[in-house]
Amino acid sequence: MKLSVGIITFNEENRIGKTLDSIKEIADEIIIVDSESSDRTVEIAKAKGAKVFVEKWKGYGSQKNSVLEKCKGEWILLIDADEVISPALKEKISEVIQKNSKTEADVYKIKLRNICFGKEIKYGGWDDYVIRLWKTGKVKIDSREVHEKYEIEKGSKVEKINEIIVHYTYDTIEQFLEKLNRYTTQSATQYTKEEKKAGILKIYFKMLFRFIRMYILQLGFLDGYEGYLLAKYSSIYTMTKYTKLREKYFKNLGRNISLIITTYNWPEALEVCINSVLKQTVIPKEIIIADDGSGKETKELIEKIKTSNPNIEIIHSWQEDDGFRLSMSRNKAINKATGEYIIIIDGDLFLERHFIQDHIENKEKESFIQGSRVIISQEKSKEILKGNLPQFPSVLFQNGFKNKANIIRNNLLSLIFSKKDKKLSGIRGCNMSFFKEDLVKVNGFEEKIQGWGREDSEIAVRLFNMGKNKKKLKFKALSYHIYHKENDRSNLKENDKFLEKVIKEGKKTAEKGLDSHERS
């Protein structure tokens, strides 16, 4: 029977020669898949008789599967480029292959002797057996980016081999940190695919437990100074891995989100609002200013902010000033939006820094979100427009703020008090979010509603008629409403009549809505 030896490599010129020398006597073929090394790895491997295939990096699992696809032997020995087969193990492998029959094992786990920082590591969880030798077809490898899993075919017989593979892990701290950076990035990428999350407490406790487990529970202290270093840097590895995951999570969270901000001739408030958006834990894919006819001061402000933030897509969706046409300005902005999920706020709000994150993390199919707001007095609003923003928790004890319960952000309270219903109570268009496809289905906001009032309730009714729920989000998605004089409400009676008609007739789509405007 023939033995195929498989290895993946990347910049292993200092090790690959020793590895290949240790197995060339028993290998019928050596297959190497190299990930575009920039050193002499490929040259050395070819000189040692290996068949080398240079391929782009696809992740550890996929790269090793590429090796397996190229192996022709009845047996496969898959090792790492930093592993050396001991003389005793060579004899054992030859014996297994030559004498193996149906009554003997299909898969073998081989004992590793780990050398780290120049010393053999016997404790800290590093005294282990790993799958390295098997009959072709008996083991499959998943396609994970890193820490790939070996899946043994059901019914296969597994045995251990005590003769050792010498595993030269890290020679220096510099080498450990170089690999740490690469491996943690790959781990974070894999965790992102698996939709894992990492909060601050999780990062801290996983890091702490990694050290305690390796150094104390798994007796790493018996390996002396090297055992301490390994436990310490392994805990740093854990912290870095989850910190990168957290970074990726927030970066990816806003990639399909459009934020629409409605405004009209109040650049001072709009600046406070946009600045609070730019400080969010999650930045949306795009910010669309739905402008109902503001003058040059607003345009100049938006241009200034765009210049200062070139990496954020900021779109000024302006329409001519012809009275209060909020629905039209929102519809035009919705048609420009490219995100799958749309958050709509008014330009007289400033946002707690988790506002966008909260909307995204709480979105649910078949529902739209209704958030809450804190009402700020006229005097406090003057301070805020000068840049004196309230700080939590001191704001709880200050005068000039109404609805103070809406200042508190708390996961448990939100879980308890947030609820879904089909009621119009509490509907306010200044803090809402929707799946764009739902807005398209109901044809957006109703432009037959002119002047202030009821455009938000009216679209909610049509969404209810479409089978959607209102998700009243409490203790999350916090916002503060800057004081201004009440808008002209002379059209409110007519708008109430229109709303009653929509309710009575069970309407689902706007008579004049998104389809009245060009779509991006």
Side-chain angles (χ1 to χ4, degrees), residues 319-335:
Q319 66 187 23
E320 188 175 351
D321 186 1
D322 189 20
F324 192 100
R325 299 186 297 167
L326 178 60
S327 292
M328 180 182 288
S329 69
R330 282 178 175 166
N331 283 340
K332 288 181 176 179
I334 291 167
N335 275 347

Side-chain angles (χ1 to χ4, degrees), residues 176-186 237 240 244:
F176 184 99
L177 294 176
E178 184 276 325
K179 287 191 175 182
L180 177 146
N181 188 47
R182 182 154 41 97
Y183 290 172
T184 51
T185 297
Q186 292 162 349
Y237 172 94
T240 306
K244 287 183 177 181

Side-chain angles (χ1 to χ4, degrees), residues 382-394:
K382 289 179 182 178
E383 295 179 19
I384 286 165
L385 291 173
K386 292 178 182 178
N388 299 319
L389 301 182
Q391 301 295 320
F392 185 86
S394 61

Side-chain angles (χ1 to χ4, degrees), residues 245-259 274-287 312 341 343 351-363 409:
L245 170 62
R246 183 176 171 83
E247 181 181 64
K248 283 178 176 288
Y249 173 74
F250 286 122
K251 184 176 181 180
N252 291 335
L253 206 57
R255 64 185 176 184
N256 284 317
I257 307 301
S258 298
L259 176 69
I274 295 176
N275 284 338
S276 74
V277 172
L278 298 176
K279 294 176 182 177
Q280 292 288 298
T281 56
V282 175
I283 301 299
K285 177 183 182 181
E286 58 196 3
I287 301 169
I312 301 174
Y341 196 74
I343 302 171
L351 315 176
E352 192 273 336
R353 70 189 190 96
H354 299 92
F355 179 90
I356 294 175
Q357 176 187 343
D358 289 343
H359 269 277
I360 299 169
E361 290 183 333
N362 287 277
K363 63 185 172 67
R409 181 177 183 271

Side-chain angles (χ1 to χ4, degrees), residues 438-450:
D438 290 340
L439 292 174
V440 171
K441 285 177 182 177
V442 299
N443 199 23
F445 288 85
E446 179 56 78
E447 295 177 23
K448 285 194 171 182
I449 292 181
Q450 296 287 315

Side-chain angles (χ1 to χ4, degrees), residues 142-372:
D142 68 16
S143 57
R144 288 169 59 88
E145 290 274 341
V146 66
H147 302 312
E148 65 285 358
K149 295 180 181 179
Y150 289 63
E151 300 169 359
I152 300 172
E153 185 181 81
K154 189 175 181 180
S156 298
K157 186 178 180 182
V158 182
E159 289 186 1
K160 291 182 177 180
I161 292 177
N162 291 316
E163 288 77 5
I164 63 168
I165 294 176
V166 183
H167 182 207
Y168 294 93
T169 55
Y170 311 105
D171 296 328
T172 63
I173 292 174
E174 181 179 4
Q175 186 184 69
F176 184 99
L177 294 176
E178 184 276 325
K179 287 191 175 182
L180 177 146
N181 188 47
R182 182 154 41 97
Y183 290 172
T184 51
T185 297
Q186 292 162 349
S187 291
T189 300
Q190 179 61 40
Y191 287 171
T192 299
K193 291 179 181 178
E194 297 170 1
E195 298 184 349
K196 291 186 177 181
K197 298 178 183 179
I200 295 173
L201 289 178
K202 181 176 182 177
I203 293 171
Y204 176 77
F205 283 112
K206 278 191 171 287
M207 175 185 69
L208 181 63
F209 180 70
R210 181 73 180 268
F211 179 84
I212 292 172
R213 185 183 65 185
M214 287 186 65
Y215 194 64
I216 299 174
L217 301 180
Q218 295 176 323
L219 308 180
F221 62 88
L222 294 177
D223 285 318
Y225 178 65
E226 290 77 9
Y228 167 75
L229 283 181
L230 196 56
K232 176 181 177 180
Y233 284 110
S234 293
S235 67
I236 292 173
Y237 172 94
T238 298
M239 178 195 71
T240 306
K241 173 176 63 175
Y242 283 104
T243 302
K244 287 183 177 181
L245 170 62
R246 183 176 171 83
E247 181 181 64
K248 283 178 176 288
Y249 173 74
F250 286 122
K251 184 176 181 180
N252 291 335
L253 206 57
R255 64 185 176 184
N256 284 317
I257 307 301
S258 298
L259 176 69
I260 294 176
I261 306 174
T262 59
T263 192
Y264 175 71
N265 274 337
W266 198 7
E268 297 84 3
L270 181 62
E271 185 171 18
V272 171
C273 178
I274 295 176
N275 284 338
S276 74
V277 172
L278 298 176
K279 294 176 182 177
Q280 292 288 298
T281 56
V282 175
I283 301 299
K285 177 183 182 181
E286 58 196 3
I287 301 169
I288 305 174
I289 313 299
D291 190 342
D292 195 13
S294 300
K296 66 176 183 178
E297 292 85 0
T298 297
K299 181 179 179 181
E300 289 171 356
L301 169 67
I302 294 170
E303 288 302 317
K304 181 185 75 172
I305 293 173
K306 287 172 70 173
T307 301
S308 302
N309 299 275
N311 295 325
I312 301 174
E313 182 73 14
I314 301 175
I315 301 167
H316 188 191
S317 176
W318 183 89
Q319 66 187 23
E320 188 175 351
D321 186 1
D322 189 20
F324 192 100
R325 299 186 297 167
L326 178 60
S327 292
M328 180 182 288
S329 69
R330 282 178 175 166
N331 283 340
K332 288 181 176 179
I334 291 167
N335 275 347
K336 288 181 172 66
T338 60
E340 296 175 0
Y341 196 74
I342 295 176
I343 302 171
I344 297 178
I345 64 173
D346 285 350
D348 55 12
L349 296 183
F350 72 89
L351 315 176
E352 192 273 336
R353 70 189 190 96
H354 299 92
F355 179 90
I356 294 175
Q357 176 187 343
D358 289 343
H359 269 277
I360 299 169
E361 290 183 333
N362 287 277
K363 63 185 172 67
E364 292 183 45
K365 285 290 187 180
E366 307 303 321
S367 296
F368 65 91
I369 288 177
Q370 175 65 66
S372 302

